[in-house]
């Protein structure tokens, strides 16, 4: 990729965001909810009332609440039902997830249905791993849901370059993919996703998870980066048709030790995730 004399003073991240035809935006109520993440004293009831007034957002939230992506086993017919079934904190996560996914109507070269299916599966696994690691499960869910969001922005900003990257992205792990992206763009999707999270005022822990999930043993990587790395790796293994034992054996020991998790924990997660995947396929 080449630059002109007018944009040489900008960083690659700045150039990318300026190159996106229409920057993704999220509803104001979603922005307000993002600022309450990690705030145990936030008045979520008032914000839920605002969600109920937004019919489009409410419909997306209920659709997600009833999908396999969130794992609800009960029919959720109204926002108040969702509050009763999953609680205010989990509902907040659902609203944010709905707002984030709804910010991208179409992206060149990306099947958004498949993209969000992968993200949703990763998020479910991350939420459960987060609980086992004694972390904020909703932070883990949100970070995993967004872990590849930088790819959407790369495709939106530079569709022709993204097509070249995709041609080289056959069975590459996240580290190898990042290397290909940096060769073409001097940045990678992890950096882009973290920058979008910063611009949308997500907590620093989620920004960190997006930035370092591909390199979770980096000295700057926080624990959520590790959770997202594990959830994404498990999801890819399931998508590639690998058996449970192979997926579990491939998970890195140093990362499990960092998160104080053991391999039997992960084997249980993989089995549960596979059951959920099969159940979703049967009801699709």
């Amino acid at each position: 990729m080449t630059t002109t004399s007018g944009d040489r003073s900008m960083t690659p991240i700045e150039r990318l965001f300026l190159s996106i035809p229409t920057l993704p935006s999220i509803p104001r109520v979603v922005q307000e909810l993002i600022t309450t993440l990690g705030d145990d004293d936030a008045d979520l009831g008032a914000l839920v009332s605002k969600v109920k007034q937004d019919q489009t957002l409410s419909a997306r939230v209920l659709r997600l609440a009833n999908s396999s992506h969130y794992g609800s086993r009960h029919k959720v017919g109204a926002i108040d039902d969702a509050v009763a079934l999953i609680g205010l904190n989990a509902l907040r996560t659902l609203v944010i997830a709905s707002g984030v996914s709804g910010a991208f109507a179409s992206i060149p070269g990306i099947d958004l249905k498949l993209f969000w299916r992968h993200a949703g599966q990763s998020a479910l696994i991350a939420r459960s791993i987060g609980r086992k690691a004694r972390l904020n499960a909703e932070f883990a869910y949100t970070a995993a849901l967004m872990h590849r969001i930088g790819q959407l922005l790369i495709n939106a900003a530079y569709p022709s370059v993204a097509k070249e990257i995709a041609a080289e992205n056959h069975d590459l792990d996240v580290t190898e993919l990042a290397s290909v992206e940096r060769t073409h763009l001097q940045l990678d999707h992890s950096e882009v996703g973290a920058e979008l999270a910063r611009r949308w005022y997500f907590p620093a822990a989620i920004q960190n998870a997006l930035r370092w999930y591909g390199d979770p043993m980096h000295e700057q990587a926080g624990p959520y980066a590790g959770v997202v790395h594990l959830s994404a790796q498990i999801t890819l293994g399931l998508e590639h048709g690998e058996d449970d034992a192979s997926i579990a054996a491939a998970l890195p020991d140093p990362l499990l030790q960092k998160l104080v998790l053991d391999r039997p924990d992960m084997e249980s997660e993989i089995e549960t995730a596979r059951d959920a995947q099969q159940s979703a396929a049967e009801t699709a």
Side-chain angles (χ1 to χ4, degrees), residues 70-139:
Y70 202 75
S72 175
R73 297 180 180 178
H74 304 277
K75 179 68 175 178
V76 181
I79 296 297
D80 288 335
D81 294 338
V83 173
L85 283 169
I86 64 177
L88 282 171
N89 285 331
L91 178 67
R92 170 172 56 189
T93 303
L94 270 181
V95 174
I96 292 171
S98 300
V100 168
S101 60
F104 300 88
S106 64
I107 297 292
I110 297 285
D111 183 329
L112 286 176
K113 183 176 181 179
L114 291 178
F115 180 91
W116 291 117
R117 182 186 301 166
H118 170 91
Q121 179 73 57
S122 298
L124 279 176
I125 296 169
R127 186 177 63 184
S128 185
I129 294 175
R131 289 194 184 112
K132 282 187 168 67
R134 301 192 177 189
L135 298 170
N136 184 312
E138 303 309 321
F139 271 38

Side-chain angles (χ1 to χ4, degrees), residues 199-277:
R199 294 183 181 214
W200 278 354
Y201 301 102
F202 276 93
I206 291 177
Q207 296 176 38
N208 180 277
L210 299 185
R211 175 63 186 88
W212 296 111
Y213 88 92
D215 188 10
M217 297 306 294
H218 191 280
E219 62 180 9
Q220 295 183 36
Y224 293 99
V227 170
V228 173
H229 182 94
L230 293 174
S231 68
Q233 187 170 336
I234 290 170
T235 300
L236 283 174
L238 292 170
E239 290 174 348
H240 292 163
E242 299 174 18
D243 61 79
D244 293 5
S246 296
I247 297 172
L251 300 176
D253 279 319
L255 182 54
L256 295 178
Q257 292 168 9
K258 178 179 178 178
L259 295 172
V260 197
L261 297 169
D262 57 33
R263 209 163 295 278
D265 283 333
M266 296 301 96
E267 291 169 354
S268 173
E269 291 300 328
I270 295 164
E271 182 179 359
T272 300
R274 187 181 296 281
D275 289 344
Q277 184 187 61

